[in-house]
Structures are given as structure tokens and as C-alpha cells.
Amino acid sequence: MAPTAHAPAATVGTLAGAITPTVGALAGAAAPAAVRTLTHATTSTAQALASLIRAAAPAPAPSGPRTPTPAARSLARAAEVALTAAATWSVIGGTSLCREALTIQDALAAGELDAARRRLPHLCGRDPQALDGQQIARAVVESVAENTSDAVVGALLWGALGGVPGLVGFRAVNTLDAMVGHRSPRYRRFGWASARLDDVAGWPGARLTAALAVLAGPDPRGALRAWRADGAAHPSPNAGPVEASFAGALGVRLGGTLAYGGRVEHRPVLNAAGRPVETGDIARAARLSRRVAVLALATAVAARPVLRGAGPTARRRLAAAVLLGAAGAARTGLRRGARSAGEGPAVRPRAAGSARVRPLAAGEDRP
């Protein structure tokens, strides 16, 4: 409890009560009259001093909440901005994503296929030794597309919805899926739960990424057409729309035959009318990723004040809409996973833009 203005008076009274027995003990029984006289004088003096302090002290302040001063509000706002900036810098992985992609492109352009194979695990979990130059380029473009959603747009969207907890929480879910979201005896249950949670958390960001790729890409009609035609064919409910939209925007063909852990898988082709991916398409995909990131940042910055000022009813409706769509994505992922389990283990590539992907062990697979 905070001290009041009457605390000095109470302190003096307590001090007087403590002095009285002390003086008596020091004087002893030899001079009882002197002790009584000294005790009476001390007590009278303390009481008089306490009365003077009570009369001079101001009235106690009310016990209600204090109104922060303008300086305190400014300091709190500055601290909030600094914390948000630090969290955003640590969570967003767009810069490292494009840097890794362009490093692989430089290696391919120089004819250094072995160097490109060594760098590929920084982006995805495919078996690089089974890929030629064109297949490596296609893998990089697909990884840039998917991680634009995972490492940039999804994080910004959840940051706009939930602030710093939304940023950090989304990144934790995405990283957990990248580390243990594998269908294997070791991660059978924990990995399954991580993968499904990532499906739910990544659903709104994937749709926003696909929409922004339509707006920012060199071929908006092609991006929209590929998204609508092929987005649902991908085993991942979130990677499909993003990769299809990027494929249509860039005019290339993605999907098809993949190699994971020494095993070959045949996936649906995205934007079948496009041409095969070339080495130079990696830089085009990186430029598109940057444009999408800028649009996503502008969207998040514009939406954050609106979401913070929205009433409880509007926020509940928005949360219900997001959860409803995410639940549908998770159910779709479960259904596709069941079909894949019957046809053979399906691979769900997962790469975090700012973190390396753990290589798959023998017999492991990403759900």
C-alpha cells in the first residue's frame, strides 16, 4: 500500500512508544521518579510534534487509478514501436529468402551445379543430388513462392491481427512445422499436430499472398487463372494457391516430378500452359516476392489501426471468419493426407525463409 501524508505523524508516535521503555531500562530502578519525568516529557513532545505534522500535511490523494502524463504516454508508445520493430525484424525472412535464391541462381549461371546442390537444402528439403540444373531452378522458384507466404506475408498478417504476440506466435508455429512436421515413427503424433496447426495458421496468409501475386505480377490474368484452376490440386492447402499464382504470374510451369529422400513423387502440374523454369526465372521470382512483401507490409500497416479501433463485435466476426476458413483448410489437408497415405507417402515440403530446414531422415516424410 502506498504511504499517505499522515505517515510521518504515525512514525513519530511509534518512535515515542519505543523510546519510553528504552529510557526506563537505561535508568533502572535507582531513579524511578526521574524516569517517570523523562518518559512523560518524551511522550508529550512526540504527541505535540505529531499534531503539528497532521495539521501541516495535505489531504491524502484519492486511491483511484492515476492518469498517465503526456510524457509517460509518449514513452510507452515509443517502447511499443521499438518492440514491434524488433519482433518484425527477427520474424520476417524475406531478405534471407531472396539472398539464398539468388546465390543458387549465380551458381547455376556459372555452371557450378555442385555448389547449387549444396545450397538448395537452405531453402527446401528435396534431395539435391537427384536434381539437374532445371529441376533445381524450379525447386528454388517453388520455395520462393511458398516462403513468401510463410516467412513474410503470413507473419505480417498475424502481426496486424495480434501485434507482437501474433508475429511471434505465427513464426513459432511455422518453425515447429519445419522442424518436426514429418510423418515418421518418431514424429507420428507431434509432427502431425504441428503440420495441422501450421495449415490453420497459414491459411489466411497464403490466400493474401496469392491475391497480392495477382496484383503485383507481370501477368495478372495468368496468375488468377492458374490459381483458380490448379491451386486446389496441390497436396498442401496453403502452398497450392501461392505456387499456382506465382506460376501464372511468371508464365512458368511448376510442380510435376519431385525427389525426396531417394524417393520420386509425381505431383500435379501447376499452370500447365507455361514454359519450363529457367535459371533467370529465379531472379524474376525474387522480384515478385519483394513486390508482394511491400504490398503485404502496406496492407498490414493500414489495417492495424482499423483492427485496433474496431469494436468487440467486429473483431469477433473477423476471428470467426478466419477460423472458419482455416478449419476448412485443415480438413482439406487431412483429407488429402489420407488419400496420399493410401497411394504412397506424400511429401509436404516445408521451408522457413529465415531458418534452415532439417534434412529428412530415411523413412521420414512431411505430412
Side-chain angles (χ1 to χ4, degrees):
M1 183 175 62
T4 63
H6 295 280
T11 303
V12 172
T14 303
L15 182 62
I19 290 176
T20 301
T22 304
V23 174
L26 292 175
V35 170
R36 286 196 298 271
T37 302
L38 180 60
T39 300
H40 178 72
T42 302
T43 304
S44 301
T45 303
Q47 291 175 349
L49 183 60
S51 299
L52 291 175
I53 293 176
R54 290 193 189 98
S63 58
R66 294 183 177 180
T67 302
T69 63
R73 286 195 296 266
S74 300
L75 182 61
R77 180 58 180 167
E80 180 184 3
V81 171
L83 179 61
T84 302
T88 303
W89 176 83
S90 63
V91 166
I92 301 302
T95 300
S96 59
L97 172 64
C98 293
R99 182 174 60 245
E100 291 293 339
L102 294 176
T103 299
I104 296 176
Q105 175 184 273
D106 293 341
L108 291 176
E112 300 176 358
L113 188 58
D114 291 338
R117 286 171 174 165
R118 287 194 299 269
R119 299 298 299 184
L120 186 61
H122 288 72
L123 290 178
C124 61
R126 302 183 192 182
D127 183 5
Q129 301 306 318
L131 303 179
D132 58 21
Q134 191 277 331
Q135 291 172 327
I136 290 177
R138 192 189 75 198
V140 172
V141 171
E142 291 174 352
S143 183
V144 168
E146 183 182 3
N147 284 286
T148 300
S149 172
D150 288 343
V152 182
V153 179
L156 290 174
L157 178 61
W158 281 105
L161 291 173
V164 173
L167 277 168
V168 177
F170 174 79
R171 195 55 174 158
V173 168
N174 187 250
T175 303
L176 186 65
D177 175 55
M179 295 176 64
V180 299
H182 315 301
R183 187 181 294 119
S184 68
R186 181 177 183 183
Y187 298 120
R188 184 176 304 277
R189 293 187 179 135
F190 191 61
W192 176 90
S194 301
R196 298 288 79 78
L197 182 60
D198 183 69
D199 285 343
V200 172
W203 185 87
R207 273 70 192 168
L208 179 59
T209 304
L212 295 179
V214 172
L215 296 176
D219 186 2
R221 291 185 179 180
L224 182 60
R225 182 173 57 251
W227 177 13
R228 296 178 61 181
D230 303 325
H234 198 282
S236 170
N238 295 332
V242 176
E243 291 184 15
S245 183
F246 265 66
L250 298 174
V252 299
R253 185 168 61 246
L254 300 179
T257 302
L258 308 176
Y260 286 88
R263 180 177 52 79
V264 176
E265 180 194 354
H266 301 282
R267 285 192 176 178
V269 175
L270 306 178
N271 192 36
R275 57 174 174 79
V277 178
E278 300 174 354
T279 300
D281 292 320
I282 296 177
R284 297 177 64 223
R287 286 195 297 268
L288 178 57
S289 175
R290 292 191 185 103
R291 289 196 293 266
V292 169
V294 171
L295 291 177
L297 178 60
T299 302
V301 171
R304 180 63 176 159
V306 176
L307 293 173
R308 293 184 65 177
T313 302
R315 286 196 296 268
R316 283 195 297 267
R317 289 176 180 174
L318 178 61
V322 171
L323 291 177
L324 182 62
R331 186 177 63 179
T332 302
L334 287 173
R335 188 164 58 246
R336 291 175 182 166
R339 287 202 303 265
S340 299
E343 300 168 357
V347 178
R348 181 189 182 212
R350 173 58 56 200
S354 60
R356 295 189 61 176
V357 179
R358 185 183 67 81
L360 296 178
E364 281 193 350
D365 184 27
R366 301 184 191 278

